[in-house]
Amino acid sequence: SRNVTGGQLSGRRDTMSSSVLPHWWSVGTFFAQLLGYVALSTALEYGWYHRRFSERRRWRTQPSNDARSLEASTATGGYDWGLPARDLGRGVPRRGRHELHARYATVNLVVSALFAGATCEAYLRGWTNLFERGDVIQVGVGLAKLVVAQSVLEYYWHRVMHFPFFYRRLHKMHHHYKSPAVWDDLFIDPREAFGYYCILFGTGVVVPAPASSFLLYMAVMGTCGVLDHCGVSFELNTSALLPWTELEVYGTTFHDLHHAKFNANYAFPFAAMDVLHGTKVAAATEAPKRDAS
């Protein structure tokens, strides 16, 4: 492939910045974000809530919580796709969902995809601190900076959302489900979701890093966001690389406990900020807390 010099790239961006229409890469990014979310959620739902639902006591993060029907199967045993948009216009939502679930989840999915496309467009027009190339070390350092920036901002944002004023008006909607399942992650008041998207995607505007670091960062954040609310127990620990260690790097029970206990485990996607602030709890360490309603 032909190398692009700094001058050529600058000239290309100058041309783009004078155009009103978005670049096709930005349009592609919009659909990649949208379809990537749907594909991952569908795979989890089909694999566990349809094919292995009868074994849910073995894989559910809260195996004893059957407060609502979650099985993704029809009466005849076929797969019942749970995409929230399919409930738009229905009188009664499926699977015991909140009456606003389909509307809010669909709006938030589209808005997140718009943010992704807009971030790509801003990069192509030279409006961000992302740069085109980087070696392996630069990509790794850039990824670390992006994750740390998001983790710090998200933690304090989430704590603010638990202040009674904001919780009652915004965040309580997201805590409607005490034992989340696939497709529940985007059930958020759209105003709160918009604020978080400014943090999630804003890192790419502010933090200097290779563009490839930002792509990896979004892959990690997007995947963890879905897994955190999927209700399926997954764990990644250091024993995979270092057999003599047992340090948990990531686990879906961490955020699931936030929904169950309410006032702990605010961090996303890793527990470091909760460890620093003393707000991290593990399963069965204390009784669930009451909502700040």
Coordinates of all heavy atoms in Angstrom, one line a residue, residues 134-142 210 213:
G134 N 1.6 4.9 14.7 CA 2.2 4.7 16.0 C 2.8 3.3 16.0 O 2.2 2.3 15.5
D135 N 3.9 3.1 16.7 CA 4.5 1.8 16.8 C 3.8 1.0 18.0 O 2.9 1.6 18.6 CB 6.0 1.8 17.1 CG 6.4 2.7 18.3 OD1 5.6 2.7 19.3 OD2 7.5 3.3 18.3
V136 N 4.2 -0.2 18.2 CA 3.5 -1.0 19.2 C 3.5 -0.4 20.6 O 2.4 -0.4 21.3 CB 4.2 -2.4 19.3 CG1 3.5 -3.3 20.4 CG2 4.0 -3.2 17.9
I137 N 4.6 0.2 21.0 CA 4.7 0.8 22.3 C 3.7 2.0 22.4 O 3.0 2.2 23.3 CB 6.1 1.2 22.6 CG1 7.0 0.0 22.8 CG2 6.2 2.1 23.9 CD1 8.5 0.3 23.0
Q138 N 3.7 2.9 21.3 CA 2.9 4.0 21.3 C 1.4 3.6 21.3 O 0.6 4.3 22.0 CB 3.1 4.9 20.0 CG 4.4 5.6 20.1 CD 4.7 6.4 18.8 OE1 4.5 5.8 17.7 NE2 5.0 7.7 18.9
V139 N 1.0 2.6 20.6 CA -0.3 2.1 20.6 C -0.7 1.6 22.0 O -1.8 1.9 22.5 CB -0.5 0.9 19.6 CG1 -1.9 0.3 19.7 CG2 -0.4 1.5 18.2
G140 N 0.2 0.8 22.7 CA -0.1 0.4 24.0 C -0.2 1.5 25.0 O -1.2 1.5 25.8
V141 N 0.7 2.5 25.0 CA 0.6 3.6 25.9 C -0.7 4.4 25.6 O -1.3 4.9 26.5 CB 1.9 4.5 25.7 CG1 1.7 5.8 26.5 CG2 3.1 3.7 26.2
G142 N -1.0 4.6 24.3 CA -2.2 5.4 24.0 C -3.4 4.7 24.5 O -4.3 5.3 25.0
P210 N -2.5 7.2 19.1 CA -2.7 6.8 17.8 C -4.1 6.4 17.5 O -4.8 5.9 18.5 CB -1.8 5.5 17.7 CG -0.8 5.7 18.8 CD -1.5 6.4 19.9
S213 N -5.1 3.0 18.7 CA -5.3 2.9 20.2 C -6.8 3.2 20.5 O -7.4 2.5 21.3 CB -4.4 3.9 20.9 OG -3.1 3.6 20.8

